[in-house]
Amino acid sequence: MQFTDIDGVTLHFAHRPVAGRRHLVFINALGTDFRIWNAVTEVLGDDVSTLVYDKRGHGLSDLGTTPYSIEDHVDDLAGLIDRLGIEDVALCGLSVGGLVAQGLYARRPELVSGLVLCDTAHKIGTQESWNARIATVKKDGIEAIADAVMKAWFTPGFHAQRTNELAGCRNMLVRQNVDGYIATCVALREADYTGVAASIAAPTLCVAGDQDGSTPPDLVRSLADLIAGSRFEVIADAGHIPCIERPEALAALLHAFLADLPAGN
């Protein structure tokens, strides 16, 4: 296990550099830890250097000071990348991770050679929807929303055929730090990156699971429409977490996207 302190917040990460290969940095969804990327990074193998990490308030990383903004998460990621001495990255952000990716690009465009914005948007949810979720979790814990989240995360086929994995993913969700979960819900509630998305000039791929119940394909397409020259792809038979449900399909899109990027530093 690898840990480092970024401005008083201990982050848990796994860095796998491969000589001569660009770094692909993965940014997790709300209520998950970096194990969601295991199958994708395994498929990619030695074709890319990888960095995965647990956001503050998630996994084995510190809680930090609550509530959060997306910019707090950007601070953590920028600090981690700098600590590791990485100078050229492609970002793959899932859900809230996609907002963090957009925020890092806005702050450090020279660092980011490309973005994969997966099952995300420039603005996710409404004040009302986030307030309702926050109130429920404060009162009854993450367990109270877990079944509804699983329906949004995964397709009916996954629920029917991959029951052991479903149970494990549910465990991952409900065992997250409640304060960290709520703090990130607050960050999502307040985030609007519409202007940032419209300013993105780096090569960008927007990806949606065709049965995503959290950020449906039409919402992800609206993000792609804001970003000049971006590509939009739909992964069939996938919900909100294609890196678990369809890792080979996502890895294939990532591999092709990276292959088309100009040579990095």
Side-chain angles (χ1 to χ4, degrees), residues 160-172:
Q161 300 163 21
R162 297 166 66 175
T163 55
N164 291 335
E165 291 172 80
L166 180 67
C169 291
R170 192 181 189 281
N171 288 341
M172 175 180 60

Side-chain angles (χ1 to χ4, degrees), residues 200-218:
I200 292 173
T204 301
L205 170 65
C206 296
V207 179
D210 68 339
Q211 297 173 58
D212 186 343
S214 293
T215 52
D218 285 349

Side-chain angles (χ1 to χ4, degrees), residues 59-109:
L60 300 184
S61 290
D62 276 352
L63 174 63
T65 302
T66 62
Y68 309 147
S69 68
I70 296 298
E71 292 304 307
D72 291 324
H73 289 300
V74 173
D75 289 341
D76 294 341
L77 179 54
L80 178 59
I81 289 170
D82 289 343
R83 179 67 49 81
L84 296 172
I86 303 168
E87 298 180 348
D88 176 55
V89 300
L91 302 173
C92 179
L94 174 63
S95 195
V96 65
L99 290 166
V100 177
Q102 292 171 65
L104 182 59
Y105 174 83
R107 187 182 302 180
R108 303 274 298 276

Side-chain angles (χ1 to χ4, degrees), residues 23 27 40 47 58 66 69-70 78 90 93-94 97 110 116 142 168 172 192 222 226 241 255 258 261:
H23 275 82
I27 315 167
V40 172
D47 288 342
H58 289 71
T66 62
S69 68
I70 296 298
L94 174 63
E110 78 288 347
V116 179
I142 299 174
M172 175 180 60
D192 186 342
S222 73
L226 288 171
I241 315 286
H255 192 276
L258 292 170
L261 291 181

Side-chain angles (χ1 to χ4, degrees), residues 168-254:
C169 291
R170 192 181 189 281
N171 288 341
M172 175 180 60
L173 172 67
V174 300
R175 293 174 185 175
Q176 297 295 322
N177 184 293
V178 172
D179 290 335
Y181 186 92
I182 291 171
T184 302
C185 288
V186 171
L188 280 158
R189 183 187 69 192
E190 301 303 319
D192 186 342
Y193 279 66
T194 305
V196 169
S199 74
I200 292 173
T204 301
L205 170 65
C206 296
V207 179
D210 68 339
Q211 297 173 58
D212 186 343
S214 293
T215 52
D218 285 349
L219 180 60
V220 182
R221 184 186 290 277
S222 73
L223 171 62
D225 288 344
L226 288 171
I227 303 171
S230 67
R231 287 173 46 209
F232 174 69
E233 297 282 352
V234 174
I235 297 179
D237 303 317
H240 189 57
I241 315 286
C243 47
I244 292 176
E245 192 159 15
R246 295 290 315 281
E248 297 86 356
L250 179 57
L253 289 173
L254 290 169

